[in-house]
Amino acid sequence: MPILRPGRLKSFITATGALLLICTVYVYWAPPPASVVPSTVFEVPLVERQNAFWKVLKPILEESGPNCPSPGHTNDAGAVGFDATSTDPRPDLTTLEEKDLHTMEEAHARYIEACRTAEKLRPVHSPGTRGVVSTAGGTYFPVFLSSLRMLRRLGSTLPVEVYMKDTDEYEKQICDDILPDLGARCLVLSDVVGKNAIEHYQLKIFAVLFSSFEEVIWMDADCFPLTKPEVLLDAEPFKSAGLVTWPDFWAMTASPLYYNISRQAMPPMSARASSEAGAFLVSKKTHQMTLLLAAYYNYYGPSHYFRLLSQGAPGEGDKETFVQAATAVGEPFYAVSERVQAVGHAKPGGGISGSAMVQTDPIADHALTSAGQWRVQDPAVAPAPPAFFIHANYPKFNPGEKVFGMKWETAPTLRADGSDGRAWLVPEDTVQRFRYDVERAYWAEIRNVSCDPAISFWTWERKDEICEKVEAYWGNVFAEPHDDDPKFG
């Protein structure tokens, strides 16, 4: 080792001290672990990263717009059920002038290239982080809080970010006093993108892009897991695919024109079902281009792409933008093959009056499909995997809204004698896949939210009456065992 002279030794010590100071400052200002929610140290850098990202992305979006009239249509695809053995041709119900088709194709390619080459388009997330992202506001906020409590009931410690469209939806008492104790925080999209820049279905993709997490579990406000969802991030298929989606009931009815525009081969109708985007998993480290293209599809969704991706099928909106974006940029994905199931009441004449959608454990589904066992083609090849997510979408289980007394066909007041009853009774084999009494647990959390004196939502005009209704329903349905209670084990 060389001997340093006094002058050089002094310089060495000074330089070393400066380096240590820089490292100390870097460590001090680095984002805290994902389990810490939120702090001033974390909040300021996130806002700066969001603003810098949008400052670069917005001009790319606007410079690569379709710049042509919206597609026309001759008819709607409607509710076409998914058939894994179908040989039917793809519905061709959308119209574009040849010159407009070419314009959209060029704009689509230009956007992808601009995103790939934009050096300043740096991701917002903090490396190595993971968490749950959702959107809520107005009448969805009470539903979100019940879903959040279901997540914590499982013992999940994942941090949660819930995005509101604008400050009109920001409820200070809930956001500042209630959610931090549950490991969650509120963020406002209009603080980044401006007032009324994005609406409704478009909110989801921008919430994901602007979130601080590298690995994202998306859950709609009315969606909750039956098992700690973090287990999905450390297992197949997510580890290899980086994007995991769940199916809808319907066929995937994207227009043939879309495949021309995106310059990709058109898949057969049997390839996969359409997506049900109440829940999905995505790695922003591996799928940033997928998310950027999905943002493009959503930004121009109402005018151009929602029609092209669904052609008037049920739920037309953001649901098809994620998988289609992945295929367009050549990034992998895993679409859960097990069919989504509705749970609800048996109709008097047969069939189900659905109240929630049940999605399958992707780890178990992947184990089956990897072994060549495709239950979507032949349910007899293996028992159904366990359920993993419930999307309680119809009606929304907001006790301040239409769950009680509004004569909804799915309202939980449908025992034969007209008394209060359960919402989720059939099919019994699907309810058995829950593995515990999920409905009772969900109503326990709805009851906790409704009757906690510290919790009050702007949309709840008479909180005392809401609590009384929930307590009465709880006493009638869950306080004592009933014949319609699910039997497990």
Side-chain angles (χ1 to χ4, degrees), residues 113-135:
E113 180 63 19
C115 287
R116 289 194 191 279
T117 58
E119 295 181 1
K120 294 184 178 180
L121 190 61
R122 299 186 179 97
V124 170
H125 64 263
S126 301
T129 55
R130 52 176 50 170
V132 174
V133 181
S134 189
T135 54

Side-chain angles (χ1 to χ4, degrees), residues 164-382:
M164 285 90 193
K165 185 181 74 169
D166 52 41
T167 52
D168 293 342
E169 294 184 338
Y170 189 96
E171 299 197 34
K172 182 175 176 58
Q173 186 256 342
I174 302 295
C175 290
D176 293 2
D177 300 334
I178 303 300
L179 294 191
D181 290 340
L182 290 167
R185 60 172 171 173
C186 300
L187 299 104
V188 179
L189 281 169
S190 66
D191 287 349
V192 182
V193 302
K195 189 83 169 177
N196 298 322
I198 52 177
E199 300 282 347
H200 197 40
Y201 293 122
Q202 300 164 297
L203 300 176
K204 186 174 296 185
I205 180 59
F206 289 100
V208 172
L209 279 170
F210 291 136
S211 72
S212 67
F213 309 128
E214 181 177 272
E215 294 180 341
V216 171
I217 298 175
W218 173 271
M219 290 190 292
D220 279 1
D222 53 359
C223 183
F224 59 85
L226 307 183
T227 302
K228 290 199 298 185
E230 47 262 58
V231 302
L232 302 181
L233 302 178
D234 295 316
E236 296 295 349
F238 180 74
K239 286 182 69 175
S240 296
L243 172 64
V244 177
T245 65
W246 278 265
D248 208 335
F249 299 104
W250 319 112
M252 190 267 293
T253 55
S255 167
L257 296 174
Y258 163 73
Y259 295 100
N260 290 333
I261 291 166
S262 58
R263 298 176 179 172
Q264 56 178 312
M266 186 168 65
M269 293 294 287
S270 59
R272 62 181 179 274
S274 63
S275 299
E276 196 280 298
F280 61 86
L281 319 175
V282 66
S283 165
K284 291 158 73 174
K285 180 178 181 180
T286 62
H287 281 67
Q288 188 73 356
M289 277 305 305
T290 291
L291 294 175
L292 289 171
L293 185 53
Y296 181 77
Y297 291 160
N298 279 271
Y299 197 73
Y300 295 105
S303 62
H304 291 78
Y305 277 96
F306 289 163
R307 174 72 206 181
L308 284 165
L309 292 173
S310 290
Q311 298 195 100
E316 182 174 281
D318 65 351
K319 66 198 295 292
E320 297 305 306
T321 61
F322 300 97
V323 169
Q324 298 290 9
T327 62
V329 297
E331 292 179 343
F333 67 93
Y334 183 83
V336 171
S337 68
E338 183 70 24
R339 295 179 185 275
V340 59
Q341 295 290 332
V343 289
H345 290 279
K347 291 182 179 179
I352 300 171
S353 180
S355 174
M357 302 169 74
V358 179
Q359 299 286 13
T360 291
D361 182 343
I363 300 173
D365 184 79
H366 180 263
L368 290 176
T369 59
S370 297
Q373 297 177 309
W374 292 84
R375 280 178 37 83
V376 69
Q377 296 174 350
D378 180 8
V381 299

Side-chain angles (χ1 to χ4, degrees), residues 293-479:
L293 185 53
Y296 181 77
Y297 291 160
N298 279 271
Y299 197 73
Y300 295 105
S303 62
H304 291 78
Y305 277 96
F306 289 163
R307 174 72 206 181
L308 284 165
L309 292 173
S310 290
Q311 298 195 100
E316 182 174 281
D318 65 351
K319 66 198 295 292
E320 297 305 306
T321 61
F322 300 97
V323 169
Q324 298 290 9
T327 62
V329 297
E331 292 179 343
F333 67 93
Y334 183 83
V336 171
S337 68
E338 183 70 24
R339 295 179 185 275
V340 59
Q341 295 290 332
V343 289
H345 290 279
K347 291 182 179 179
I352 300 171
S353 180
S355 174
M357 302 169 74
V358 179
Q359 299 286 13
T360 291
D361 182 343
I363 300 173
D365 184 79
H366 180 263
L368 290 176
T369 59
S370 297
Q373 297 177 309
W374 292 84
R375 280 178 37 83
V376 69
Q377 296 174 350
D378 180 8
V381 299
F388 201 96
F389 285 107
I390 292 182
H391 190 179
N393 62 320
Y394 181 73
K396 309 301 181 189
F397 280 65
N398 178 352
E401 289 292 311
K402 297 177 179 179
V403 172
F404 299 108
M406 298 299 290
K407 296 183 180 179
W408 283 56
E409 60 174 341
T410 54
T413 53
L414 294 179
R415 284 206 185 103
D417 62 2
S419 63
D420 288 342
R422 287 175 174 263
W424 303 335
L425 295 173
V426 293
E428 291 185 7
D429 58 347
T430 300
V431 175
Q432 291 294 313
R433 291 168 59 203
F434 296 171
R435 294 171 291 180
Y436 71 99
D437 192 347
V438 174
E439 186 174 358
R440 189 180 197 279
Y442 190 35
W443 274 100
E445 297 305 343
I446 294 172
R447 182 188 185 202
N448 288 333
V449 170
S450 302
C451 297
D452 185 337
I455 296 174
S456 181
F457 296 95
W458 292 346
T459 56
W460 284 5
E461 295 181 2
R462 291 297 306 274
K463 179 180 170 65
D464 55 340
E465 292 182 0
I466 291 170
C467 177
E468 290 172 5
K469 288 180 180 179
V470 172
E471 287 285 16
Y473 177 72
W474 177 268
N476 292 337
V477 177
F478 298 111

Side-chain angles (χ1 to χ4, degrees), residues 35-196:
S35 58
V36 178
V37 207
S39 68
T40 303
V41 173
F42 184 88
E43 195 70 49
V44 174
L46 175 61
V47 171
E48 290 177 359
R49 294 197 301 272
Q50 289 172 332
N51 287 330
F53 178 81
W54 184 240
K55 186 177 180 180
V56 178
L57 180 60
K58 184 180 180 182
I60 296 175
L61 284 166
E62 294 183 341
E63 290 164 8
S64 306
N67 196 28
C68 67
S70 300
H73 61 278
T74 58
N75 206 341
D76 287 338
V80 178
F82 174 64
D83 180 358
T85 63
S86 174
T87 59
D88 292 343
R90 179 167 297 279
D92 189 3
L93 308 169
T94 302
T95 59
L96 268 177
E97 295 287 341
E98 188 67 30
K99 61 181 178 60
D100 295 334
L101 178 66
H102 179 72
T103 297
M104 288 193 69
E105 180 185 356
E106 291 298 316
H108 189 280
R110 187 166 62 251
Y111 176 77
I112 293 175
E113 180 63 19
C115 287
R116 289 194 191 279
T117 58
E119 295 181 1
K120 294 184 178 180
L121 190 61
R122 299 186 179 97
V124 170
H125 64 263
S126 301
T129 55
R130 52 176 50 170
V132 174
V133 181
S134 189
T135 54
T139 60
Y140 285 88
F141 215 2
V143 177
F144 165 77
L145 185 53
S146 296
S147 296
L148 175 61
R149 291 184 63 95
M150 287 295 285
L151 178 72
R152 297 302 179 224
R153 188 184 187 96
L154 297 170
S156 174
T157 58
L158 286 171
V160 176
E161 292 177 350
V162 56
Y163 282 78
M164 285 90 193
K165 185 181 74 169
D166 52 41
T167 52
D168 293 342
E169 294 184 338
Y170 189 96
E171 299 197 34
K172 182 175 176 58
Q173 186 256 342
I174 302 295
C175 290
D176 293 2
D177 300 334
I178 303 300
L179 294 191
D181 290 340
L182 290 167
R185 60 172 171 173
C186 300
L187 299 104
V188 179
L189 281 169
S190 66
D191 287 349
V192 182
V193 302
K195 189 83 169 177
N196 298 322

